Amino acid sequence: QVQLVESGGGLVQAGGSLRLSCAASGGTFSSYTLGWFRQAPGKEREFVATITWIGRSTYYADPAKGRFTISRGNAKNTVNLQMNSLKPEDTAVYYCAGTRRSTIGTAIADYEYWGLGTQVTVSS
């Protein structure tokens, strides 16, 4: 069974940086797509960024463009989200998501597997 485990969340001041990591296990990830979503208190879960395993194509939500970078990690079956120039509105629980499909997906329904999330808090 596929499992996704996030790490790297925490408290940071506005303008700072954090690096989130997601470790995937329990499956064959040669064609998977992994992504990041976030959910702020009182708001719906929203797409942040995604990367395909084949070709390493990436796609970002507008709030993430130019500040966040998604990449495959050096460790096998890991994906990272480097977040720079963080803003208080980036405060949310960040979730790693995975799908067996090898195409870009930005909707919650595009992903079958989910981690439990990691809290990111940006203070002003």
Side-chain angles (χ1 to χ4, degrees):
Q1 184 172 351
V2 173
Q3 288 188 320
L4 304 177
V5 180
E6 305 95 338
S7 62
L11 174 64
V12 64
Q13 289 188 333
S17 299
L18 278 176
R19 184 180 182 88
L20 305 183
S21 293
C22 173
S25 62
T28 303
F29 299 96
S30 59
S31 63
Y32 274 45
T33 294
L34 291 179
W36 289 93
F37 285 70
R38 67 185 183 184
Q39 187 166 17
K43 295 187 177 181
E44 294 185 351
R45 192 171 298 189
E46 63 178 7
F47 169 76
V48 176
T50 189
I51 184 167
T52 61
W53 230 238
I54 298 176
R56 305 191 187 189
S57 296
T58 59
Y59 188 79
Y60 297 89
D62 286 344
K65 290 178 180 177
R67 299 188 300 127
F68 294 2
T69 302
I70 189 171
S71 63
R72 289 175 59 179
N74 292 328
K76 188 178 180 181
N77 297 338
T78 61
V79 62
N80 299 320
L81 184 69
Q82 178 67 41
M83 305 187 294
N84 299 327
S85 302
L86 283 163
K87 306 174 182 179
E89 50 263 44
D90 293 319
T91 295
V93 177
Y94 283 70
Y95 296 91
C96 181
T99 175
R100 294 176 179 174
R101 289 183 288 273
S102 59
T103 54
I104 294 290
T106 63
I108 293 174
D110 292 333
Y111 296 84
E112 303 95 85
Y113 308 107
W114 293 85
L116 297 180
T118 185
Q119 177 70 46
V120 171
T121 302
V122 184
S123 63
S124 58

